[in-house]
Amino acid sequence: MVRSHGKIVCGHMAAGKEADMRQKKWWQNAVVYQIYPRSFCDSTGSGMGDLKGIIGKLDYLEKLGIDAIWLSPVCRSPQDDNGYDISDYRDIDPLFGTLSDMEELIAEGKMHSIRIILDLVLNHSSDEHPWFLEAKKSKDNPYHDYYVWRDGVEGEYPNDMRACFGGPAWEWVPELGQYYFHQFSVKQPDLNWENPKLRREIYDMILWWMDKGVGGFRLDVIDQIAKEPDLKITNNGPRLHEFIQELSRETFQKGDLITVGEAWGANTENAKLYSNPDGSEFSMVFQFEHIGLDQIPGKEKWDLAPLDFRKLKEVLAKWQKALYGCGWNSLFWNNHDLPRIVSRWGNDGKYRVESAKMLAALLHGLQGTPYIYQGEELGMTNAGMEDIADYRDIESLNMHKERLEAGYREADIMASLRAKSRDNARTPMQWDDSENAGFTTGTPWLKVNPNYKQINAASQVNDPDSVFSFYRRLVELRKEYDVFVDGAFELLYADDPDIFAYTRTTPEETLTVLCNFHDGEAALSEKSGEKIRESGLGELLISNYKDVDETKLRPYEARMYLKKTV
Ligand code: TEU
């Protein structure tokens, strides 16, 4: 990798570089499991998941084979955005337990070889954080400059910027005659990263968590910290990488951590900075280019469009190639903000099991660190909730209100929510077929998906054909064969309307992944098919049908082959 005019250019890897890459970092063949704590396991009957509940499920997670847990925020919070509005970064919210429960989770995690990754929300705090309560007192308060303020007149906003959850991005504080800036809800004022004192407080807080033995951090909307509201810049602000490099130098580089930045504004160029193998920023970033491929271009995620499958192949292939040898991908279909992948791009009816496995194989064969979102390993589906009264998410509720006021039809709004609401991912984890899916003995904070009697962990953990067992084997394979970490990516069947296929190659091994993304049969066409058969694909590592037909892929069929070349 060489730098030329500030850009990182990757071509063929130089021999030295290749050797370098082969000195694996622990997180390169790791698999991370994301837990949304309020929906995972309730140990008290409060209806809300908690840390003790997670501790009780470590055996389950060890069986799945994962290396780390990314915990969505559990710090003290008024819960306006389910914990993404933090009022004390150094304490645990009583909803989830205590600081000593967290220490126990870290220690017990170690016993199970599972590291704990905390979610750092550094772009904004809660408006109930003591910093903000002080900041609001007066313009000369030492904390005032921890936030982003503009003088003004009530009713005349500094500009027309909108917040992500609807409404203006400015909130009036009459006592000060000023507006504060918030990219998310009014209860999530943006922190002012221009202020070195604020940055130092943040670093000290991170070092404090590192001292407690956490295994890494996921950094919420990190590409939005260097905002320039006067220029209407939210993500990728001019000082972004300067801030991130300082943050990394002052904190992460003092430990052996996994760090992943959430960056909706990531592209393949800046991702090479974010995930530079020299460790100057993060281990990797979450990029979202593939996530927007089923909405009307230029509109909101609620404006639904069928998935552009060819584009999906193009985008994932582009990321695989661009970061090869000079960065690192994170691999995910799901998280707590996204609909369930089996409902979204698979088939949650007749082919639920096949399509859940196919999507897993497709993702886990790629180069990068895979993330499994709780319940994905069971093939959990979208919530399907018909009544707005059952929704809890601030983004969904605000959108419903705004679109009704704007004259949208209720039926269309509800269709958008059923497809894309964040609550789809947030229904309680389905542990067994007892009441409330074994998640709680109380009343769950969000309704359990009624399909829990068919889809639950208890029925899958010991079934060799289950979605769970398929994921478990994929996690194992990543550790067995170096090609999963090192192999160079090549897309096959690029123009095929149904097949997503690729190879990963090292001098010693070739991994071939063949997937049918749709519910019809897909012929393995003569031209590319022959090429594949001639060379021989090697050993079948994993598949989701009982037998193999060399000429075609059946609905949602997935096969992964490994050939040793030396
Ligand atoms: O999400 C960032 C973000 O931009 C989301 O709000 C996203 O646009 C939306 O969910 C898509 O529907 C992060 C967290 O993952 C999310 O849960 C938080 O609400 C948000 O930041 C604010 O902290």
Side-chain angles (χ1 to χ4, degrees):
M1 180 171 63
V2 287
R3 265 173 204 274
S4 117
H5 309 296
K7 273 185 155 187
I8 297 178
V9 184
C10 303
H12 289 292
M13 275 196 280
K17 183 72 222 166
E18 198 156 345
D20 227 38
M21 276 292 288
R22 278 163 180 260
Q23 287 188 354
K24 291 191 190 50
K25 316 252 186 4
W26 69 265
W27 38 262
Q28 288 187 309
N29 69 0
V31 177
V32 180
Y33 187 90
Q34 185 193 350
I35 289 184
Y36 197 62
R38 57 167 54 214
S39 302
F40 192 63
C41 183
D42 173 15
S43 72
T44 64
S46 67
M48 184 87 75
D50 49 48
L51 294 177
K52 287 241 187 266
I54 297 172
I55 295 170
K57 296 296 182 186
L58 287 171
D59 287 344
Y60 168 85
L61 296 173
E62 186 176 357
K63 182 156 189 183
L64 182 58
I66 54 104
D67 303 270
I69 294 170
W70 151 27
L71 270 189
S72 279
V74 287
C75 286
R76 232 173 232 279
S77 158
Q79 304 289 324
D80 184 53
D81 183 20
N82 292 0
Y84 283 90
D85 49 319
I86 293 176
S87 55
D88 186 348
Y89 290 91
R90 298 185 193 219
D91 201 5
I92 300 299
D93 197 280
L95 284 177
F96 302 120
T98 62
L99 199 52
S100 83
D101 293 342
M102 178 56 111
E103 285 159 355
E104 190 184 331
L105 175 61
I106 294 169
E108 285 288 316
K110 281 201 180 110
M111 312 281 283
H112 289 77
S113 305
I114 293 175
R115 307 186 200 219
I116 305 300
I117 300 173
L118 291 190
D119 207 322
L120 284 176
V121 188
L122 306 180
N123 174 68
H124 45 268
S125 73
S126 162
D127 67 340
E128 295 180 37
H129 193 292
W131 296 340
F132 192 73
L133 298 178
E134 284 298 311
K136 267 196 331 191
K137 285 185 180 160
S138 78
K139 289 185 190 172
D140 359 292
N141 188 288
Y143 292 94
H144 187 259
D145 200 28
Y146 276 35
Y147 295 87
V148 182
W149 302 93
R150 292 293 177 270
D151 291 334
V153 183
E154 186 170 12
E156 279 177 40
Y157 298 111
N159 61 28
D160 62 357
M161 290 177 81
R162 309 277 300 167
C164 288
F165 297 153
W170 299 101
E171 184 69 10
W172 177 244
V173 178
E175 304 85 286
L176 296 182
Q178 286 191 309
Y179 286 92
Y180 68 84
F181 182 63
H182 62 93
Q183 299 189 60
F184 293 90
S185 91
V186 277
K187 288 186 65 61
Q188 293 167 298
D190 268 59
L191 288 163
N192 176 19
W193 273 72
E194 299 287 333
N195 181 347
K197 264 178 68 193
L198 177 263
R199 301 206 298 274
R200 189 67 252 165
E201 287 241 30
I202 287 177
Y203 306 153
D204 290 344
M205 175 272 289
I206 295 174
L207 291 169
W208 183 82
W209 277 114
M210 284 171 63
D211 256 7
K212 296 213 170 288
V214 300
F217 299 98
R218 176 263 188 189
L219 294 106
D220 191 60
V221 290
I222 200 66
D223 61 338
Q224 295 177 215
I225 58 172
K227 53 248 160 186
E228 295 268 4
D230 301 320
L231 303 172
K232 299 194 192 175
I233 293 175
T234 52
N235 56 27
N236 300 329
R239 297 188 68 188
L240 178 63
H241 292 277
E242 174 199 331
F243 289 153
I244 293 176
Q245 281 161 23
E246 183 186 273
L247 161 71
S248 173
R249 210 167 42 240
E250 295 293 330
T251 60
F252 314 141
Q253 289 174 36
K254 301 179 196 285
D256 179 21
L257 303 177
I258 178 174
T259 51
V260 51
E262 184 202 26
W264 285 75
N267 54 44
T268 51
E269 274 315 305
N270 61 30
K272 292 176 202 168
L273 291 174
Y274 284 126
S275 65
N276 195 328
D278 71 5
S280 52
E281 296 199 2
F282 305 129
S283 315
M284 65 196 91
V285 272
F286 290 127
Q287 63 83 17
F288 293 86
E289 212 180 325
H290 57 301
I291 290 302
L293 298 178
D294 58 2
Q295 71 191 50
I296 301 173
K299 302 197 90 183
E300 294 184 75
K301 73 173 192 179
W302 310 112
D303 301 302
L304 311 176
L307 170 67
D308 185 339
F309 176 61
R310 281 204 177 85
K311 192 85 185 150
L312 177 70
K313 290 202 267 192
E314 189 189 308
V315 166
L316 291 181
K318 178 180 78 181
W319 278 87
Q320 286 290 296
K321 286 186 168 275
L323 297 196
Y324 177 66
C326 57
W328 193 251
N329 275 290
S330 59
L331 308 169
F332 69 99
W333 293 128
N334 275 114
N335 66 31
H336 62 292
D337 294 332
L338 303 175
R340 294 275 179 187
I341 196 61
V342 71
S343 300
R344 187 181 195 180
W345 294 344
N347 174 318
D348 62 8
K350 183 169 173 200
Y351 295 113
R352 186 185 63 83
V353 171
E354 289 82 357
S355 63
K357 291 177 179 175
M358 180 279 290
L359 287 158
L362 202 172
L363 195 78
H364 285 241
L366 296 173
Q367 186 174 51
T369 299
Y371 290 75
I372 301 172
Y373 177 70
Q374 64 184 44
E376 181 185 335
E377 77 281 15
L378 306 175
M380 273 179 64
T381 67
N382 274 354
M385 296 184 300
E386 309 267 354
D387 186 347
I388 188 65
D390 289 331
Y391 286 80
R392 296 286 174 270
D393 177 35
I394 182 171
E395 183 191 58
S396 297
L397 299 176
N398 287 356
M399 178 288 262
H400 181 261
K401 188 162 166 283
E402 275 195 1
R403 288 207 164 187
L404 271 185
E405 281 163 12
Y408 283 75
R409 286 178 43 221
E410 169 84 18
D412 293 338
I413 299 175
M414 292 312 295
S416 294
L417 287 174
R418 277 195 301 279
K420 294 279 184 75
S421 168
R422 306 197 296 183
D423 282 337
N424 283 308
R426 299 176 180 185
T427 62
M429 179 73 176
Q430 294 167 204
W431 292 108
D432 57 38
D433 64 4
S434 69
E435 206 185 343
N436 293 322
F439 160 71
T440 181
T441 53
T443 308
W445 73 275
L446 177 67
K447 275 192 174 168
V448 173
N449 192 314
N451 64 19
Y452 71 91
K453 295 218 185 262
Q454 293 78 49
I455 307 173
N456 61 64
S459 66
Q460 294 197 27
V461 276
N462 296 318
D463 170 3
D465 289 329
S466 65
V467 179
F468 178 91
S469 297
F470 196 87
Y471 268 89
R472 188 179 172 201
R473 181 70 188 128
L474 287 172
V475 176
E476 245 170 32
L477 286 171
R478 179 162 287 269
K479 304 200 182 321
E480 275 172 34
Y481 299 101
D482 289 340
V483 70
F484 280 86
V485 172
D486 302 321
F489 174 93
E490 242 1 283
L491 188 67
L492 304 173
Y493 293 95
D495 297 323
D496 192 283
D498 299 306
I499 297 176
F500 198 135
Y502 58 87
T503 51
R504 302 275 315 283
T505 314
T506 63
E508 299 86 23
E509 293 171 334
T510 297
L511 176 76
T512 305
V513 181
L514 303 177
C515 295
N516 178 359
F517 211 84
H518 294 127
D519 61 5
E521 292 194 338
L524 289 165
S525 69
E526 279 300 292
K527 212 167 138 237
S528 326
E530 266 177 23
K531 199 172 123 210
I532 283 173
R533 279 196 292 279
E534 265 166 33
S535 56
L537 299 175
E539 177 196 351
L540 183 64
L541 289 181
I542 190 166
S543 69
N544 59 353
Y545 275 73
K546 291 220 180 305
D547 55 2
V548 166
D549 182 333
E550 279 227 330
T551 64
K552 65 179 184 225
L553 294 171
R554 286 153 290 184
Y556 297 106
E557 183 163 0
R559 296 184 218 149
M560 216 180 235
Y561 293 92
L562 184 94
K563 189 173 179 198
K564 298 257 181 206
T565 38
V566 276

